[in-house]
Amino acid sequence: MAIVERHRIYEGTRIPSPIPTVLEVPADLRASDDILQVNFGPNHPSTHGVLRLVVDLDGEKVVGLHAVIGYLHTGFEKSMESKTWWKGITFPERIDYVAFQNNEYVFVAAIEKLLGMEVPPKATWMRTLLCELNRIHSHLIWLGTSGLELGAISMFWYAFREREQILDLFELVTGYRMHTRYFQAGGLAEDIPRGFYPECRKFVERMPKAVDDYEAILDRNEIWMERTQGLGLLSAADAIALGQTGPVLRASGVDWDLRRQQPYLAYDQVDFVVPVYPNGDVYDRYRVHMDEMRQSTRIVAQCLDRLERMEGEPWIADDRKVVLPPREELHTSMESLIHHFKIVTEGYRVPEGEVYVTIESPRGELGCYVVSDGGPKPWRVKFRAPSFVALEATATCMADAYVADMIAVVGSLDTVMGEVDR
Amino acid sequence: MSYEGVPGLVETNDAYGETTLVVVSARLVEACTYLRDEEGFDMLSDLTPTDYLGWGAKGVAGYIGTVSGRDLNHPGSQGLQALPERKPKRFSVNYHLLAIRPGAPRLRVQVWVEDGEPVPSVVSVWPTADWHEREAYDLMGIRFEGHPNLARIILEDDWEGYPLRKDYPIGGEPVRFSGEE
Amino acid sequence: MAVSGRPKRLREYGLKSERVLWPTKGPGAFEQEVGDLESSLGLTTLDKAVAWAQTKSMWPDTFGLACCAIEMMAIVSSRYDIARFGMEAFRSSPRQADLLIVSGRVAHKMAAPLRQIYDQMLEPKWVIAMGACASSGGMFNNYTTLQGVDKIVAVDIYVPGCPPRPEALMEGIIRLHERVQAGIPPAYEVRGVAS
């Protein structure tokens, strides 16, 4: 079994019942009239976005909790049913707007699975590199905002300093900082520009020292440890029952990472360590994030080693029914012109079927369920968002905690509300 | 892998490397408990409802062969239009299961229901189904029997209608010349 | 330099902006309008002083909704540094905030809290609709996304982009400062809410 829980985090289960996601105030306490119901409304300084928590307090202790979501519902799934496969790739990026390329990738992977397309190795390695850079980007934002919420305000500026370097790299490759729309069904939209590899190398050299800086600020900081250790406990069994994946599951002692267990892209050809911690508290989730940043930097370095030897190779598959032909060919070849026209106006057709593709996004298992009717537009697209599931664990993690801990716990679950509400 | 012993099993489909078990909705909880306890699928990864209203209403015509040998239509159809196979009922509720063990085996359990027909809730099997079922009810209108708190979760409490259904309009403002009016 | 009557250079309007550092740039349409308004409104020294003070520490409200919020956080970070405009103090309480930067898509469910926050802000208050979704609904033309935040609040500045670069948001903020210093009243006085 993949569980390395060396000690029981707590006995039994703390999942509330009858409703697993709602902490109910015990009847006698409610009758005593000491309960104050406070609304942590959709607009609040904790920068996780528009989450509303309705909390019942007995003094400072949280005795009742339920979450209200839906304040960022954008209708992605309905919108994508009316856009062709090609044009629809811009939508998933905005679902988890912090790890955008992972979202892009999962949708493109579902299309490629239905089409049965082979992706050239250069595209695979570059996608791996970009997904890992995106992982570092996501963890940096998490670190900066979590530190900010718990009072370690300077963390925000340190983390965003490196984030700017990553966004510079994205801009160099794709032309845009966020929501890059660089992945296509079959590979990448364009070749990797010259000058990317040395810049990325510089980043890879600087990043480990930056993580050292962050750890120097927070790791052994007494206030940080006091505010994060022993809080938000989640045992491995409860985590699996609640569908948790990603750093939350790994901090509860379960050695589960889809990059290792179900390798996709080029993860089976790179060397990295999956961090697992046994205590299931907020501090361990923080440690998992920090270690993952280091490991992602290692993966990026290995991808660079490989990519530097792949100059001149194709970056997208050759299937002209799905992939746009190169621009020069449009002047000389009639078939290319027709293909271009059909792909842009009607869109390529994806065979009938349904697939469910999962990847390891920075938040956990990100899944994309696609149903195709054989036409140019999807019939149904559903994204399994790890943050949606992570919020279900709030009630369990908050059993027996104070209101000040709530910010730490909800922050450690690393939720992005765009994903939760879709 | 064969799942012969699953209670209520109607048929098994294998496509694109994924196994789908179609199960009778009356015995869903039994089947899920069996899969969790006997087969080891301890995590419910996703719960997705799909609306097949209008499926197969228009034919799909495509090319016969491609460079990679992929054939959209069945061989021998000469490129004439093919209709997708009819579905048994209007809604399918898909449960994507995952076993936390090496190899990461995955499984899809599929249940077919008509409009208004309730589906038994699997919250007692996997607590994570709580919000997934609420979302399925909210956006698609599928009632889950035995759910402790079946209320709208994503839309406002007084919203009328179920947006992800195929007969619900996409809404928004009309945009001139966009071809989507 | 001014040849006759109407000034031609940005610094002659008395405005301070980074474009002053770009000597070859002539006044764009915006500056022309601002200059026209200023000369027609005929502000007094006290009004100018008050407007100067308002722009030099216009505190935004923390109203980050979606992707644009991440770019809004980026202007607080050290590279783009909004603190040099006196605006790094993002207030959580709308009572203490002057500027509402609506950054991100607004769902119908969120429209009521948005209007409530806007109502709780004290006059004078300004609104920047950051990004395509706040300006017009963006790429989401559907049942749940508000097609532009100007349907419920009066907007001063629209910053396009998806998400706009931090420099683009900075330009929006600087234009807002220039409008305020030129004496243009906040949007709620000039126009109501769009229909």
Side-chain angles (χ1 to χ4, degrees):
Chain A
M1 250 324 235
I3 297 186
V4 295
E5 204 177 352
R6 283 176 224 114
H7 63 270
R8 297 204 142 270
I9 296 173
Y10 48 75
E11 287 300 321
T13 175
R14 282 198 185 176
I15 300 179
S17 77
I19 309 174
T21 53
V22 170
L23 259 184
E24 296 269 2
V25 182
D28 49 344
L29 207 47
R30 197 170 270 297
S32 75
D33 221 16
D34 262 339
I35 304 292
L36 177 68
Q37 190 170 73
V38 179
N39 178 49
F40 282 78
N43 180 47
H44 56 96
S46 167
T47 44
H48 289 296
V50 285
L51 168 66
R52 177 169 166 218
L53 294 166
V54 183
V55 179
D56 293 297
L57 297 176
D58 174 24
E60 286 261 331
K61 254 178 79 132
V62 173
V63 288
L65 175 90
H66 79 269
V68 182
I69 60 173
Y71 289 95
L72 200 54
H73 179 56
T74 323
F76 277 101
E77 296 167 2
K78 186 95 183 166
S79 296
M80 285 175 79
E81 287 172 16
S82 58
K83 295 271 184 272
T84 63
W85 295 98
W86 193 52
K87 295 183 185 167
I89 297 178
T90 44
F91 283 87
E93 291 182 297
R94 287 149 172 90
I95 292 182
D96 176 358
Y97 39 81
V98 166
F100 30 95
Q101 284 167 338
N102 287 283
N103 282 68
E104 255 188 285
Y105 174 66
V106 76
F107 183 60
V108 164
I111 300 177
E112 287 168 0
K113 192 169 182 185
L114 278 171
L115 282 169
M117 283 190 96
E118 287 273 330
V119 179
K122 185 174 188 187
T124 308
W125 283 95
M126 189 58 179
R127 284 174 171 183
T128 316
L129 193 156
L130 287 175
C131 284
E132 286 307 304
L133 275 182
N134 216 252
R135 189 180 311 270
I136 304 175
H137 170 264
S138 167
H139 287 335
L140 282 171
I141 293 191
W142 172 85
L143 185 65
T145 51
S146 288
L148 182 65
E149 287 158 22
L150 288 180
I153 301 179
S154 41
M155 259 335 291
F156 180 79
W157 277 270
Y158 277 86
F160 272 61
R161 178 188 65 187
E162 260 68 51
R163 180 195 172 231
E164 291 297 329
Q165 292 174 16
I166 296 181
L167 289 178
D168 280 346
L169 287 174
F170 286 157
E171 202 181 354
L172 180 53
V173 174
T174 69
Y176 206 54
R177 288 158 53 103
M178 288 176 67
H179 301 328
T180 52
R181 181 50 179 102
Y182 188 52
F183 298 168
Q184 297 274 36
L188 307 169
E190 282 180 18
D191 199 3
I192 303 170
R194 259 176 291 158
F196 172 68
Y197 300 131
E199 287 298 323
C200 202
R201 281 271 172 223
K202 283 190 222 159
F203 171 75
V204 162
E205 268 141 46
R206 249 177 282 173
M207 192 61 198
K209 299 189 199 98
V211 182
D212 288 339
D213 276 345
Y214 310 147
E215 290 184 341
I217 298 179
L218 288 179
D219 248 17
R220 316 273 312 156
N221 183 314
E222 207 177 310
I223 301 179
W224 183 258
M225 291 184 356
E226 181 95 22
R227 285 208 69 176
T228 56
Q229 279 179 339
L231 289 179
L233 297 172
L234 192 64
S235 74
D238 276 352
I240 294 177
L242 284 167
Q244 303 301 308
T245 47
V248 176
L249 190 61
R250 291 196 275 283
S252 292
V254 182
D255 182 8
W256 188 257
D257 186 332
L258 285 178
R259 296 175 289 169
R260 221 352 94 66
Q261 308 292 344
Q262 187 190 282
Y264 57 98
L265 287 177
Y267 288 110
D268 48 355
Q269 299 169 60
V270 289
D271 193 28
F272 66 102
V273 168
V274 173
V276 182
Y277 285 81
N279 291 313
D281 60 5
V282 175
Y283 188 74
D284 276 5
R285 288 173 208 143
Y286 152 78
R287 287 245 41 99
V288 168
H289 280 104
M290 302 303 282
D291 286 351
E292 279 189 5
M293 277 202 267
R294 284 193 198 279
Q295 296 302 319
S296 291
T297 319
R298 272 180 72 189
I299 299 179
V300 170
Q302 291 170 63
C303 290
L304 272 179
D305 291 336
R306 279 292 210 116
L307 281 168
E308 276 165 352
R309 300 197 297 257
M310 287 194 198
E311 280 289 328
E313 286 192 23
W315 60 94
I316 196 164
D318 207 16
D319 186 349
R320 291 305 166 78
K321 302 284 183 206
V322 176
V323 171
L324 285 179
R327 224 54 224 204
E328 315 81 68
E329 271 188 30
L330 295 183
H331 298 292
T332 51
S333 159
M334 192 59 205
E335 289 79 21
S336 294
L337 197 60
I338 298 175
H339 281 139
H340 183 103
F341 178 73
K342 290 290 281 181
I343 292 175
V344 172
T345 52
E346 186 193 26
Y348 50 81
R349 292 173 177 276
V350 170
E352 189 196 328
E354 52 185 0
V355 285
Y356 180 62
V357 174
T358 50
I359 65 167
E360 181 81 17
S361 98
R363 284 172 185 78
E365 178 176 311
L366 174 66
C368 179
Y369 173 67
V370 168
V371 177
S372 165
D373 63 345
K377 300 184 182 175
W379 182 264
R380 170 87 166 108
V381 183
K382 163 85 165 30
F383 287 89
R384 186 264 188 203
S387 307
F388 183 74
V389 180
L391 276 183
E392 289 187 296
T394 325
T396 311
C397 292
M398 284 297 296
D400 225 28
Y402 292 107
V403 80
D405 303 330
M406 195 173 67
I407 304 296
V409 169
V410 174
S412 76
L413 294 173
D414 199 3
T415 54
V416 164
M417 294 313 289
E419 252 194 335
V420 173
D421 299 332
R422 267 161 285 126
Chain B
M1 282 220 63
S2 80
Y3 298 93
E4 303 291 309
V6 175
L9 182 64
V10 170
E11 65 174 305
T12 307
N13 297 324
D14 271 296
Y16 302 104
E18 300 179 7
T19 312
T20 306
L21 302 180
V22 182
V23 166
V24 170
S25 91
R27 301 188 70 189
L28 177 64
V29 180
E30 231 182 292
C32 289
T33 316
Y34 174 85
L35 285 167
R36 183 192 65 178
D37 296 331
E38 309 297 328
E39 304 280 358
F41 285 101
D42 39 7
M43 184 181 284
L44 174 69
S45 177
D46 187 27
L47 199 163
T48 310
T50 310
D51 181 4
Y52 286 97
L53 184 72
W55 178 268
K58 48 186 207 308
V60 175
Y63 46 89
I64 295 179
T66 69
V67 163
S68 45
R70 198 173 56 248
D71 184 358
L72 247 204
N73 298 330
H74 296 295
S77 67
Q78 320 289 303
L80 296 172
Q81 78 167 14
L83 287 173
E85 272 176 35
R86 301 227 29 127
K87 300 287 177 188
K89 289 188 183 178
R90 179 174 171 185
F91 292 103
S92 80
V93 185
N94 303 278
Y95 298 78
H96 292 104
L97 308 181
L98 166 67
I100 306 278
R101 56 173 188 261
R106 284 185 188 270
L107 188 64
R108 179 183 303 122
V109 174
Q110 208 170 62
V111 170
W112 293 89
V113 287
E114 279 300 345
D115 191 8
E117 206 182 307
V119 176
S121 163
V122 295
V123 174
S124 51
V125 183
W126 298 289
T128 184
D130 181 354
W131 275 16
H132 283 120
E133 288 179 351
R134 279 180 72 181
E135 190 192 342
Y137 165 66
D138 188 7
L139 295 175
M140 204 65 101
I142 296 175
R143 298 203 67 89
F144 289 88
E145 265 176 346
H147 191 281
N149 182 26
L150 195 66
R152 286 200 182 262
I153 186 173
I154 300 238
L155 297 169
E156 285 108 299
D157 292 327
D158 52 0
W159 193 281
E160 278 172 25
Y162 304 107
L164 274 182
R165 290 194 172 187
K166 291 289 177 182
D167 47 5
Y168 193 95
I170 188 156
E173 287 180 347
V175 177
R176 295 171 67 192
F177 310 121
S178 67
E180 277 168 0
E181 295 184 79
Chain C
M1 280 302 149
V3 176
S4 64
R6 187 201 300 282
K8 278 219 184 73
R9 291 268 155 240
L10 205 59
R11 55 183 87 94
E12 281 138 319
Y13 292 120
L15 300 172
K16 301 224 180 310
S17 116
E18 291 183 12
R19 267 177 285 182
V20 173
L21 301 170
W22 186 355
T24 50
K25 178 151 179 39
F30 180 72
E31 283 92 17
Q32 294 280 28
E33 284 173 20
V34 164
D36 291 343
L37 265 166
E38 197 178 33
S39 42
S40 64
L41 287 172
L43 297 177
T44 66
T45 314
L46 183 60
D47 281 337
K48 280 208 170 125
V50 168
W52 179 90
Q54 283 172 343
T55 55
K56 290 311 172 194
S57 76
M58 187 187 278
W59 291 347
D61 180 66
T62 53
F63 207 78
L65 296 170
C67 348
C68 284
I70 313 290
E71 292 292 48
M72 190 170 72
M73 289 197 271
I75 47 166
V76 185
S77 73
S78 46
R79 183 184 283 193
Y80 301 104
D81 195 20
I82 205 178
R84 48 198 164 122
F85 303 103
M87 293 172 67
E88 85 282 11
F90 273 67
R91 312 313 294 165
S92 324
S93 164
R95 306 258 180 225
Q96 299 168 3
D98 305 304
L99 174 64
L100 185 68
I101 306 182
V102 184
S103 50
R105 47 207 189 240
V106 184
H108 282 297
K109 196 167 177 178
M110 192 63 194
L114 167 59
R115 182 69 207 191
Q116 205 176 1
I117 300 278
Y118 178 77
D119 287 338
Q120 286 176 347
M121 288 167 70
L122 305 176
E123 275 82 28
K125 57 190 172 188
W126 296 270
V127 175
I128 292 184
M130 176 185 178
C133 293
S135 307
S136 69
M139 58 198 279
F140 306 109
N141 189 5
N142 53 33
Y143 59 93
T144 178
T145 309
L146 199 60
Q147 297 295 302
V149 87
D150 53 6
K151 292 202 188 303
I152 46 176
V153 297
V155 175
D156 291 83
I157 299 269
Y158 299 84
V159 181
C162 192
R165 290 185 63 105
E167 287 104 326
L169 179 61
M170 201 83 87
E171 159 129 8
I173 291 174
I174 293 173
R175 286 205 177 190
L176 180 64
H177 289 181
E178 290 175 356
R179 282 169 61 110
V180 173
Q181 286 189 336
I184 301 171
Y188 55 83
E189 283 181 33
V190 173
R191 53 175 167 263
V193 158
S195 60

